[in-house]
Amino acid sequence: MEVEVRVLVTGGAGYIGTHVLAVLQMGKHDIFVADDFSNSSPSNLEQVVKASGRSVPFFNVDIRDTETLTNAMLSFKPEIVLHLAALKDAAESVTIPMKYIEVNVSGTVSLLRAMEASGCDGMVYSSSAAVYGEPKYLPLDEEHPCQPVSPYGESKWLAERIVTVWAKAREDRKAILLRYFNPIGKDPAGRIAPIQRNRTFNVMDHIMRVAKGDRKRMDIFGSTYATADGSGMRDFIHVQDLAEAHAAAVSRLPSVSGAEIINVGAGEGHTVIELIETFETATGHRIRRRVRPPRAGDIGASWSDTGKAARVLGWQARRNLMDICRSATPARYRPKRQAPASRAPSGEIGAHP
Ligand SMILES: NC(=O)c1ccc[n+]([C@@H]2O[C@H](COP(=O)([O-])OP(=O)(O)OC[C@H]3O[C@@H](n4cnc5c(N)ncnc54)[C@H](O)[C@@H]3O)[C@@H](O)[C@H]2O)c1
């Protein structure tokens, strides 16, 4: 098979990374993963292998270890890096901000150094709508000022700036900075259900915990926001749509000049109550709920302007809230036992015949 692009995916064993891998593996790209499995498991890559029928070579490496990362990159020689590895819990980042700076900012610097040493000139960076902070207008376009409200958001913003400086330093360098809105749901075919060690739950995980009986009811934080039902409103994007945006970014990267910031959302807002009710319709599960006071730093409503994604990437979200809820049904959610990170040397998860 003729290889199109050699792609390194940092954080490829994580929630979004596994979905991205499964999509990229359908093309002709040659892919390898760099992950320390601090919030995932090598068995997540097994799921990708089963889904795609192709093996997934990986390096068990902390992105802050520049020397090991450089050696890995010198042996694989990627043309593009998809940089997903990061810590992502905004609430946790308030209590341990320096860890977020170390992994998300210093880790990105370390990766850029390894890219320099191995002659890799292209990056697609996983950023977040958290860089915008409290919306001054809606929908949020890429020109909206960035005033993050959490150390997590700050770390993603700082890393964005560093990647931009790196990309603009030389004409042959290119970067696309994807600002994800609220990815939820799972692989529509039910093949990918990655383990997350740190139990950082997104809103769909909370709904699922109630649906599975692990929690009695779902907490809804805030009931007086300026939305139709008073609950918070977000731009929920199907993780499969998000994964497909990465395939589009890999294709478009060569024609980008410098660093390009692109929102990746569904382009419309839905409230948390709307999401719960759609889940109930989609699955037949009744989700008991209770209203709690809003949490510090929570934003009432946020959704994206996706015009630039359509123009630059030729991409737009194709799946709706009902598709998201169907993809996350409990029958398809089969968590596996966690393998200890120390037992995961670098290697290759092979394709099963
Ligand atoms: N999930 C979301 O809601 C969301 C929203 C916006 C942006 N993002 C961004 O998307 C990216 C992926 O998020 P996710 O939800 O898949 O998170 P995740 O925690 O599921 O995946 C991150 C992966 O990176 C790995 N990792 C963490 N620190 C590492 C390190 N120092 N060295 C090597 N690997 C390391 C983890 O083991 C994990 O496999 C992150 O950059 C995150 O900031 C996520």
Side-chain angles (χ1 to χ4, degrees), residues 11 13-17 35-40 61-64 84-88 103 126-128 152 156 180-181 183 196:
Y15 166 55
I16 296 167
D35 202 304
D36 68 355
F37 304 109
S38 53
N39 194 30
S40 54
V61 60
D62 186 321
I63 53 166
R64 292 168 291 176
L84 286 87
L87 304 180
K88 64 169 177 180
V103 175
S126 298
S127 190
S128 166
Y152 165 71
K156 300 304 282 186
Y180 308 167
F181 276 67
Q196 300 211 270

PDB file of all heavy atoms in Angstrom, residues 11 13-17 35-40 61-64 84-88 103 126-128 152 156 180-181 183 196, ligand 1:
ATOM      1  N   GLY A  11      -0.685  11.092  22.602  1.00  0.00           N
ATOM      2  CA  GLY A  11      -1.960  10.921  23.302  1.00  0.00           C
ATOM      3  C   GLY A  11      -2.941  10.074  22.508  1.00  0.00           C
ATOM      4  O   GLY A  11      -4.154  10.138  22.732  1.00  0.00           O
ATOM      5  N   ALA A  13      -3.702   7.039  22.641  1.00  0.00           N
ATOM      6  CA  ALA A  13      -4.464   5.996  23.354  1.00  0.00           C
ATOM      7  C   ALA A  13      -5.637   6.573  24.139  1.00  0.00           C
ATOM      8  O   ALA A  13      -6.399   5.824  24.755  1.00  0.00           O
ATOM      9  CB  ALA A  13      -3.540   5.225  24.295  1.00  0.00           C
ATOM     10  N   GLY A  14      -5.798   7.897  24.127  1.00  0.00           N
ATOM     11  CA  GLY A  14      -6.843   8.539  24.926  1.00  0.00           C
ATOM     12  C   GLY A  14      -8.214   8.498  24.265  1.00  0.00           C
ATOM     13  O   GLY A  14      -8.402   7.874  23.208  1.00  0.00           O
ATOM     14  N   TYR A  15      -9.153   9.168  24.906  1.00  0.00           N
ATOM     15  CA  TYR A  15     -10.553   9.167  24.433  1.00  0.00           C
ATOM     16  C   TYR A  15     -10.653   9.659  22.982  1.00  0.00           C
ATOM     17  O   TYR A  15     -11.157   8.958  22.101  1.00  0.00           O
ATOM     18  CB  TYR A  15     -11.391  10.042  25.379  1.00  0.00           C
ATOM     19  CG  TYR A  15     -12.753  10.429  24.866  1.00  0.00           C
ATOM     20  CD1 TYR A  15     -13.663   9.466  24.441  1.00  0.00           C
ATOM     21  CD2 TYR A  15     -13.136  11.774  24.808  1.00  0.00           C
ATOM     22  CE1 TYR A  15     -14.921   9.827  23.960  1.00  0.00           C
ATOM     23  CE2 TYR A  15     -14.389  12.141  24.334  1.00  0.00           C
ATOM     24  CZ  TYR A  15     -15.270  11.160  23.912  1.00  0.00           C
ATOM     25  OH  TYR A  15     -16.521  11.526  23.435  1.00  0.00           O
ATOM     26  N   ILE A  16     -10.130  10.862  22.732  1.00  0.00           N
ATOM     27  CA  ILE A  16     -10.240  11.401  21.375  1.00  0.00           C
ATOM     28  C   ILE A  16      -9.226  10.716  20.459  1.00  0.00           C
ATOM     29  O   ILE A  16      -9.515  10.384  19.306  1.00  0.00           O
ATOM     30  CB  ILE A  16     -10.049  12.934  21.391  1.00  0.00           C
ATOM     31  CG1 ILE A  16     -11.186  13.574  22.198  1.00  0.00           C
ATOM     32  CG2 ILE A  16     -10.025  13.505  19.974  1.00  0.00           C
ATOM     33  CD1 ILE A  16     -10.971  15.035  22.561  1.00  0.00           C
ATOM     34  N   GLY A  17      -8.015  10.469  20.996  1.00  0.00           N
ATOM     35  CA  GLY A  17      -6.949   9.870  20.190  1.00  0.00           C
ATOM     36  C   GLY A  17      -7.343   8.548  19.554  1.00  0.00           C
ATOM     37  O   GLY A  17      -7.065   8.307  18.372  1.00  0.00           O
ATOM     38  N   ASP A  35       2.552   7.797  23.778  1.00  0.00           N
ATOM     39  CA  ASP A  35       1.647   7.972  24.919  1.00  0.00           C
ATOM     40  C   ASP A  35       2.316   7.375  26.143  1.00  0.00           C
ATOM     41  O   ASP A  35       3.000   6.351  26.036  1.00  0.00           O
ATOM     42  CB  ASP A  35       0.307   7.254  24.631  1.00  0.00           C
ATOM     43  CG  ASP A  35      -0.856   7.795  25.462  1.00  0.00           C
ATOM     44  OD1 ASP A  35      -0.739   7.804  26.702  1.00  0.00           O
ATOM     45  OD2 ASP A  35      -1.863   8.208  24.867  1.00  0.00           O
ATOM     46  N   ASP A  36       2.117   7.995  27.300  1.00  0.00           N
ATOM     47  CA  ASP A  36       2.664   7.392  28.527  1.00  0.00           C
ATOM     48  C   ASP A  36       1.587   6.610  29.283  1.00  0.00           C
ATOM     49  O   ASP A  36       1.841   6.121  30.381  1.00  0.00           O
ATOM     50  CB  ASP A  36       3.308   8.448  29.438  1.00  0.00           C
ATOM     51  CG  ASP A  36       2.294   9.414  30.030  1.00  0.00           C
ATOM     52  OD1 ASP A  36       1.089   9.338  29.665  1.00  0.00           O
ATOM     53  OD2 ASP A  36       2.694  10.253  30.859  1.00  0.00           O
ATOM     54  N   PHE A  37       0.401   6.524  28.709  1.00  0.00           N
ATOM     55  CA  PHE A  37      -0.726   5.769  29.274  1.00  0.00           C
ATOM     56  C   PHE A  37      -1.104   6.245  30.681  1.00  0.00           C
ATOM     57  O   PHE A  37      -1.681   5.497  31.447  1.00  0.00           O
ATOM     58  CB  PHE A  37      -0.442   4.258  29.249  1.00  0.00           C
ATOM     59  CG  PHE A  37      -0.127   3.756  27.859  1.00  0.00           C
ATOM     60  CD1 PHE A  37       1.162   3.374  27.525  1.00  0.00           C
ATOM     61  CD2 PHE A  37      -1.110   3.709  26.887  1.00  0.00           C
ATOM     62  CE1 PHE A  37       1.466   2.946  26.239  1.00  0.00           C
ATOM     63  CE2 PHE A  37      -0.813   3.283  25.586  1.00  0.00           C
ATOM     64  CZ  PHE A  37       0.477   2.896  25.270  1.00  0.00           C
ATOM     65  N   SER A  38      -0.760   7.511  30.993  1.00  0.00           N
ATOM     66  CA  SER A  38      -1.100   8.032  32.321  1.00  0.00           C
ATOM     67  C   SER A  38      -2.607   8.182  32.486  1.00  0.00           C
ATOM     68  O   SER A  38      -3.126   8.160  33.595  1.00  0.00           O
ATOM     69  CB  SER A  38      -0.400   9.371  32.574  1.00  0.00           C
ATOM     70  OG  SER A  38      -0.663  10.268  31.517  1.00  0.00           O
ATOM     71  N   ASN A  39      -3.330   8.368  31.381  1.00  0.00           N
ATOM     72  CA  ASN A  39      -4.793   8.423  31.476  1.00  0.00           C
ATOM     73  C   ASN A  39      -5.451   7.476  30.473  1.00  0.00           C
ATOM     74  O   ASN A  39      -6.523   7.766  29.936  1.00  0.00           O
ATOM     75  CB  ASN A  39      -5.303   9.847  31.254  1.00  0.00           C
ATOM     76  CG  ASN A  39      -6.765   9.994  31.672  1.00  0.00           C
ATOM     77  OD1 ASN A  39      -7.219   9.284  32.577  1.00  0.00           O
ATOM     78  ND2 ASN A  39      -7.506  10.873  31.021  1.00  0.00           N
ATOM     79  N   SER A  40      -4.770   6.382  30.190  1.00  0.00           N
ATOM     80  CA  SER A  40      -5.324   5.456  29.198  1.00  0.00           C
ATOM     81  C   SER A  40      -4.700   4.090  29.432  1.00  0.00           C
ATOM     82  O   SER A  40      -4.129   3.835  30.489  1.00  0.00           O
ATOM     83  CB  SER A  40      -5.031   5.961  27.781  1.00  0.00           C
ATOM     84  OG  SER A  40      -3.636   6.193  27.618  1.00  0.00           O
ATOM     85  N   VAL A  61       6.080   6.715  26.099  1.00  0.00           N
ATOM     86  CA  VAL A  61       6.991   7.820  26.420  1.00  0.00           C
ATOM     87  C   VAL A  61       6.212   9.019  26.940  1.00  0.00           C
ATOM     88  O   VAL A  61       5.107   9.310  26.476  1.00  0.00           O
ATOM     89  CB  VAL A  61       7.815   8.204  25.153  1.00  0.00           C
ATOM     90  CG1 VAL A  61       6.922   8.637  23.996  1.00  0.00           C
ATOM     91  CG2 VAL A  61       8.831   9.293  25.458  1.00  0.00           C
ATOM     92  N   ASP A  62       6.799   9.671  27.931  1.00  0.00           N
ATOM     93  CA  ASP A  62       6.258  10.936  28.421  1.00  0.00           C
ATOM     94  C   ASP A  62       6.753  12.025  27.460  1.00  0.00           C
ATOM     95  O   ASP A  62       7.965  12.106  27.201  1.00  0.00           O
ATOM     96  CB  ASP A  62       6.785  11.174  29.853  1.00  0.00           C
ATOM     97  CG  ASP A  62       6.153  12.401  30.508  1.00  0.00           C
ATOM     98  OD1 ASP A  62       5.954  13.420  29.814  1.00  0.00           O
ATOM     99  OD2 ASP A  62       5.891  12.337  31.716  1.00  0.00           O
ATOM    100  N   ILE A  63       5.862  12.839  26.960  1.00  0.00           N
ATOM    101  CA  ILE A  63       6.273  13.845  25.966  1.00  0.00           C
ATOM    102  C   ILE A  63       7.293  14.834  26.530  1.00  0.00           C
ATOM    103  O   ILE A  63       7.975  15.523  25.770  1.00  0.00           O
ATOM    104  CB  ILE A  63       5.075  14.619  25.358  1.00  0.00           C
ATOM    105  CG1 ILE A  63       4.199  15.222  26.462  1.00  0.00           C
ATOM    106  CG2 ILE A  63       4.287  13.746  24.402  1.00  0.00           C
ATOM    107  CD1 ILE A  63       3.216  16.268  25.957  1.00  0.00           C
ATOM    108  N   ARG A  64       7.427  14.888  27.860  1.00  0.00           N
ATOM    109  CA  ARG A  64       8.430  15.796  28.439  1.00  0.00           C
ATOM    110  C   ARG A  64       9.834  15.221  28.356  1.00  0.00           C
ATOM    111  O   ARG A  64      10.807  15.929  28.593  1.00  0.00           O
ATOM    112  CB  ARG A  64       8.062  16.096  29.903  1.00  0.00           C
ATOM    113  CG  ARG A  64       6.797  16.923  30.027  1.00  0.00           C
ATOM    114  CD  ARG A  64       6.298  16.970  31.442  1.00  0.00           C
ATOM    115  NE  ARG A  64       5.806  15.668  31.875  1.00  0.00           N
ATOM    116  CZ  ARG A  64       5.371  15.395  33.092  1.00  0.00           C
ATOM    117  NH1 ARG A  64       5.356  16.332  34.001  1.00  0.00           N
ATOM    118  NH2 ARG A  64       4.936  14.195  33.405  1.00  0.00           N
ATOM    119  N   LEU A  84      -2.110  15.477  20.720  1.00  0.00           N
ATOM    120  CA  LEU A  84      -3.277  15.406  21.612  1.00  0.00           C
ATOM    121  C   LEU A  84      -2.890  15.220  23.076  1.00  0.00           C
ATOM    122  O   LEU A  84      -3.705  15.481  23.969  1.00  0.00           O
ATOM    123  CB  LEU A  84      -4.199  14.237  21.214  1.00  0.00           C
ATOM    124  CG  LEU A  84      -5.048  14.415  19.952  1.00  0.00           C
ATOM    125  CD1 LEU A  84      -4.271  13.998  18.717  1.00  0.00           C
ATOM    126  CD2 LEU A  84      -6.329  13.612  20.045  1.00  0.00           C
ATOM    127  N   ALA A  85      -1.685  14.727  23.349  1.00  0.00           N
ATOM    128  CA  ALA A  85      -1.322  14.394  24.740  1.00  0.00           C
ATOM    129  C   ALA A  85      -1.390  15.631  25.624  1.00  0.00           C
ATOM    130  O   ALA A  85      -0.745  16.646  25.338  1.00  0.00           O
ATOM    131  CB  ALA A  85       0.074  13.795  24.782  1.00  0.00           C
ATOM    132  N   ALA A  86      -2.175  15.534  26.679  1.00  0.00           N
ATOM    133  CA  ALA A  86      -2.314  16.665  27.618  1.00  0.00           C
ATOM    134  C   ALA A  86      -3.119  16.204  28.820  1.00  0.00           C
ATOM    135  O   ALA A  86      -3.760  15.152  28.789  1.00  0.00           O
ATOM    136  CB  ALA A  86      -3.045  17.831  26.938  1.00  0.00           C
ATOM    137  N   LEU A  87      -3.080  17.014  29.866  1.00  0.00           N
ATOM    138  CA  LEU A  87      -4.028  16.859  30.975  1.00  0.00           C
ATOM    139  C   LEU A  87      -5.222  17.747  30.647  1.00  0.00           C
ATOM    140  O   LEU A  87      -5.051  18.836  30.090  1.00  0.00           O
ATOM    141  CB  LEU A  87      -3.381  17.289  32.290  1.00  0.00           C
ATOM    142  CG  LEU A  87      -2.079  16.571  32.660  1.00  0.00           C
ATOM    143  CD1 LEU A  87      -1.542  17.082  33.995  1.00  0.00           C
ATOM    144  CD2 LEU A  87      -2.290  15.061  32.719  1.00  0.00           C
ATOM    145  N   LYS A  88      -6.438  17.309  31.035  1.00  0.00           N
ATOM    146  CA  LYS A  88      -7.620  18.003  30.505  1.00  0.00           C
ATOM    147  C   LYS A  88      -8.681  18.376  31.539  1.00  0.00           C
ATOM    148  O   LYS A  88      -9.762  18.831  31.173  1.00  0.00           O
ATOM    149  CB  LYS A  88      -8.260  17.134  29.435  1.00  0.00           C
ATOM    150  CG  LYS A  88      -8.792  15.810  29.985  1.00  0.00           C
ATOM    151  CD  LYS A  88      -9.647  15.087  28.974  1.00  0.00           C
ATOM    152  CE  LYS A  88     -10.108  13.746  29.516  1.00  0.00           C
ATOM    153  NZ  LYS A  88     -10.924  12.989  28.609  1.00  0.00           N
ATOM    154  N   VAL A 103       2.929  19.600  31.859  1.00  0.00           N
ATOM    155  CA  VAL A 103       2.566  18.626  30.811  1.00  0.00           C
ATOM    156  C   VAL A 103       2.104  19.343  29.536  1.00  0.00           C
ATOM    157  O   VAL A 103       2.572  19.051  28.432  1.00  0.00           O
ATOM    158  CB  VAL A 103       1.475  17.649  31.318  1.00  0.00           C
ATOM    159  CG1 VAL A 103       1.012  16.729  30.189  1.00  0.00           C
ATOM    160  CG2 VAL A 103       2.001  16.830  32.492  1.00  0.00           C
ATOM    161  N   SER A 126      -4.167  19.972  19.332  1.00  0.00           N
ATOM    162  CA  SER A 126      -5.489  19.842  19.956  1.00  0.00           C
ATOM    163  C   SER A 126      -5.686  20.938  20.972  1.00  0.00           C
ATOM    164  O   SER A 126      -5.261  20.814  22.119  1.00  0.00           O
ATOM    165  CB  SER A 126      -5.602  18.502  20.692  1.00  0.00           C
ATOM    166  OG  SER A 126      -5.471  17.459  19.793  1.00  0.00           O
ATOM    167  N   SER A 127      -6.350  22.008  20.569  1.00  0.00           N
ATOM    168  CA  SER A 127      -6.650  23.058  21.530  1.00  0.00           C
ATOM    169  C   SER A 127      -8.110  22.932  21.976  1.00  0.00           C
ATOM    170  O   SER A 127      -8.754  21.915  21.708  1.00  0.00           O
ATOM    171  CB  SER A 127      -6.342  24.435  20.933  1.00  0.00           C
ATOM    172  OG  SER A 127      -6.423  25.405  21.958  1.00  0.00           O
ATOM    173  N   SER A 128      -8.582  23.949  22.627  1.00  0.00           N
ATOM    174  CA  SER A 128      -9.889  23.833  23.277  1.00  0.00           C
ATOM    175  C   SER A 128     -10.618  25.166  23.255  1.00  0.00           C
ATOM    176  O   SER A 128      -9.988  26.237  23.312  1.00  0.00           O
ATOM    177  CB  SER A 128      -9.649  23.417  24.741  1.00  0.00           C
ATOM    178  OG  SER A 128     -10.815  23.602  25.494  1.00  0.00           O
ATOM    179  N   TYR A 152      -6.149  25.205  33.190  1.00  0.00           N
ATOM    180  CA  TYR A 152      -6.183  24.318  32.014  1.00  0.00           C
ATOM    181  C   TYR A 152      -6.296  25.149  30.735  1.00  0.00           C
ATOM    182  O   TYR A 152      -5.511  24.982  29.795  1.00  0.00           O
ATOM    183  CB  TYR A 152      -7.359  23.335  32.117  1.00  0.00           C
ATOM    184  CG  TYR A 152      -7.662  22.648  30.800  1.00  0.00           C
ATOM    185  CD1 TYR A 152      -6.797  21.694  30.279  1.00  0.00           C
ATOM    186  CD2 TYR A 152      -8.798  22.980  30.056  1.00  0.00           C
ATOM    187  CE1 TYR A 152      -7.063  21.077  29.056  1.00  0.00           C
ATOM    188  CE2 TYR A 152      -9.075  22.373  28.842  1.00  0.00           C
ATOM    189  CZ  TYR A 152      -8.202  21.414  28.337  1.00  0.00           C
ATOM    190  OH  TYR A 152      -8.458  20.827  27.127  1.00  0.00           O
ATOM    191  N   LYS A 156      -3.592  25.599  27.569  1.00  0.00           N
ATOM    192  CA  LYS A 156      -3.862  25.327  26.142  1.00  0.00           C
ATOM    193  C   LYS A 156      -3.568  26.589  25.313  1.00  0.00           C
ATOM    194  O   LYS A 156      -3.057  26.521  24.208  1.00  0.00           O
ATOM    195  CB  LYS A 156      -5.317  24.885  25.938  1.00  0.00           C
ATOM    196  CG  LYS A 156      -5.734  23.631  26.670  1.00  0.00           C
ATOM    197  CD  LYS A 156      -4.874  22.418  26.368  1.00  0.00           C
ATOM    198  CE  LYS A 156      -5.163  21.756  25.054  1.00  0.00           C
ATOM    199  NZ  LYS A 156      -4.388  20.497  24.872  1.00  0.00           N
ATOM    200  N   TYR A 180     -11.318  22.501  19.940  1.00  0.00           N
ATOM    201  CA  TYR A 180     -12.470  21.611  20.110  1.00  0.00           C
ATOM    202  C   TYR A 180     -13.491  22.271  21.026  1.00  0.00           C
ATOM    203  O   TYR A 180     -13.129  22.849  22.041  1.00  0.00           O
ATOM    204  CB  TYR A 180     -12.107  20.304  20.802  1.00  0.00           C
ATOM    205  CG  TYR A 180     -10.965  19.480  20.277  1.00  0.00           C
ATOM    206  CD1 TYR A 180     -10.457  18.442  21.072  1.00  0.00           C
ATOM    207  CD2 TYR A 180     -10.401  19.675  19.027  1.00  0.00           C
ATOM    208  CE1 TYR A 180      -9.427  17.641  20.639  1.00  0.00           C
ATOM    209  CE2 TYR A 180      -9.360  18.870  18.588  1.00  0.00           C
ATOM    210  CZ  TYR A 180      -8.870  17.865  19.396  1.00  0.00           C
ATOM    211  OH  TYR A 180      -7.842  17.070  18.981  1.00  0.00           O
ATOM    212  N   PHE A 181     -14.776  22.063  20.717  1.00  0.00           N
ATOM    213  CA  PHE A 181     -15.816  22.490  21.641  1.00  0.00           C
ATOM    214  C   PHE A 181     -16.099  21.339  22.625  1.00  0.00           C
ATOM    215  O   PHE A 181     -15.222  21.016  23.408  1.00  0.00           O
ATOM    216  CB  PHE A 181     -17.014  23.066  20.876  1.00  0.00           C
ATOM    217  CG  PHE A 181     -16.741  24.522  20.568  1.00  0.00           C
ATOM    218  CD1 PHE A 181     -15.731  24.886  19.679  1.00  0.00           C
ATOM    219  CD2 PHE A 181     -17.397  25.534  21.238  1.00  0.00           C
ATOM    220  CE1 PHE A 181     -15.393  26.228  19.459  1.00  0.00           C
ATOM    221  CE2 PHE A 181     -17.081  26.876  21.025  1.00  0.00           C
ATOM    222  CZ  PHE A 181     -16.077  27.216  20.141  1.00  0.00           C
ATOM    223  N   PRO A 183     -16.591  17.591  22.850  1.00  0.00           N
ATOM    224  CA  PRO A 183     -16.707  16.257  22.261  1.00  0.00           C
ATOM    225  C   PRO A 183     -17.322  15.261  23.246  1.00  0.00           C
ATOM    226  O   PRO A 183     -16.872  15.152  24.385  1.00  0.00           O
ATOM    227  CB  PRO A 183     -15.260  15.874  21.939  1.00  0.00           C
ATOM    228  CG  PRO A 183     -14.403  16.768  22.775  1.00  0.00           C
ATOM    229  CD  PRO A 183     -15.207  17.988  23.086  1.00  0.00           C
ATOM    230  N   GLN A 196     -10.202   5.266  30.696  1.00  0.00           N
ATOM    231  CA  GLN A 196      -9.553   6.487  31.175  1.00  0.00           C
ATOM    232  C   GLN A 196      -9.225   6.288  32.648  1.00  0.00           C
ATOM    233  O   GLN A 196     -10.131   6.029  33.447  1.00  0.00           O
ATOM    234  CB  GLN A 196     -10.475   7.683  30.988  1.00  0.00           C
ATOM    235  CG  GLN A 196     -10.848   7.885  29.517  1.00  0.00           C
ATOM    236  CD  GLN A 196     -11.072   9.321  29.182  1.00  0.00           C
ATOM    237  OE1 GLN A 196     -12.168   9.807  29.291  1.00  0.00           O
ATOM    238  NE2 GLN A 196     -10.028  10.008  28.789  1.00  0.00           N
TER     239      GLN A 196
HETATM  240  N1  LIG B   1     -12.168  15.728  25.957  1.00  0.00           N
HETATM  241  C1  LIG B   1     -12.519  17.013  25.834  1.00  0.00           C
HETATM  242  O1  LIG B   1     -13.624  17.398  26.228  1.00  0.00           O
HETATM  243  C2  LIG B   1     -11.577  18.004  25.200  1.00  0.00           C
HETATM  244  C3  LIG B   1     -12.069  19.278  24.844  1.00  0.00           C
HETATM  245  C4  LIG B   1     -11.196  20.191  24.264  1.00  0.00           C
HETATM  246  C5  LIG B   1      -9.865  19.850  24.040  1.00  0.00           C
HETATM  247  N2  LIG B   1      -9.421  18.618  24.400  1.00  0.00           N
HETATM  248  C6  LIG B   1      -8.012  18.281  24.163  1.00  0.00           C
HETATM  249  O2  LIG B   1      -7.964  17.082  23.410  1.00  0.00           O
HETATM  250  C7  LIG B   1      -6.801  16.341  23.745  1.00  0.00           C
HETATM  251  C8  LIG B   1      -7.166  14.903  24.029  1.00  0.00           C
HETATM  252  O3  LIG B   1      -8.145  14.863  25.048  1.00  0.00           O
HETATM  253  P1  LIG B   1      -8.816  13.506  25.521  1.00  0.00           P
HETATM  254  O4  LIG B   1     -10.187  13.830  25.981  1.00  0.00           O
HETATM  255  O5  LIG B   1      -8.626  12.459  24.512  1.00  0.00           O
HETATM  256  O6  LIG B   1      -7.935  13.209  26.811  1.00  0.00           O
HETATM  257  P2  LIG B   1      -7.392  11.799  27.344  1.00  0.00           P
HETATM  258  O7  LIG B   1      -6.898  12.037  28.715  1.00  0.00           O
HETATM  259  O8  LIG B   1      -8.411  10.748  27.129  1.00  0.00           O
HETATM  260  O9  LIG B   1      -6.176  11.505  26.355  1.00  0.00           O
HETATM  261  C9  LIG B   1      -4.918  12.112  26.533  1.00  0.00           C
HETATM  262  C10 LIG B   1      -3.865  11.055  26.301  1.00  0.00           C
HETATM  263  O10 LIG B   1      -2.580  11.678  26.506  1.00  0.00           O
HETATM  264  C11 LIG B   1      -1.814  10.826  27.334  1.00  0.00           C
HETATM  265  N3  LIG B   1      -0.874  11.664  28.077  1.00  0.00           N
HETATM  266  C12 LIG B   1      -1.143  12.529  29.091  1.00  0.00           C
HETATM  267  N4  LIG B   1      -0.015  13.097  29.538  1.00  0.00           N
HETATM  268  C13 LIG B   1       1.000  12.589  28.773  1.00  0.00           C
HETATM  269  C14 LIG B   1       2.401  12.792  28.753  1.00  0.00           C
HETATM  270  N5  LIG B   1       3.008  13.625  29.617  1.00  0.00           N
HETATM  271  N6  LIG B   1       3.139  12.109  27.847  1.00  0.00           N
HETATM  272  C15 LIG B   1       2.542  11.254  26.972  1.00  0.00           C
HETATM  273  N7  LIG B   1       1.218  11.026  26.957  1.00  0.00           N
HETATM  274  C16 LIG B   1       0.456  11.686  27.846  1.00  0.00           C
HETATM  275  C17 LIG B   1      -2.800  10.092  28.218  1.00  0.00           C
HETATM  276  O11 LIG B   1      -2.277   8.871  28.710  1.00  0.00           O
HETATM  277  C18 LIG B   1      -3.967   9.875  27.263  1.00  0.00           C
HETATM  278  O12 LIG B   1      -3.818   8.663  26.552  1.00  0.00           O
HETATM  279  C19 LIG B   1      -6.151  17.065  24.908  1.00  0.00           C
HETATM  280  O13 LIG B   1      -5.098  17.854  24.378  1.00  0.00           O
HETATM  281  C20 LIG B   1      -7.251  17.961  25.446  1.00  0.00           C
HETATM  282  O14 LIG B   1      -6.732  19.131  26.025  1.00  0.00           O
HETATM  283  C21 LIG B   1     -10.241  17.682  24.972  1.00  0.00           C
END
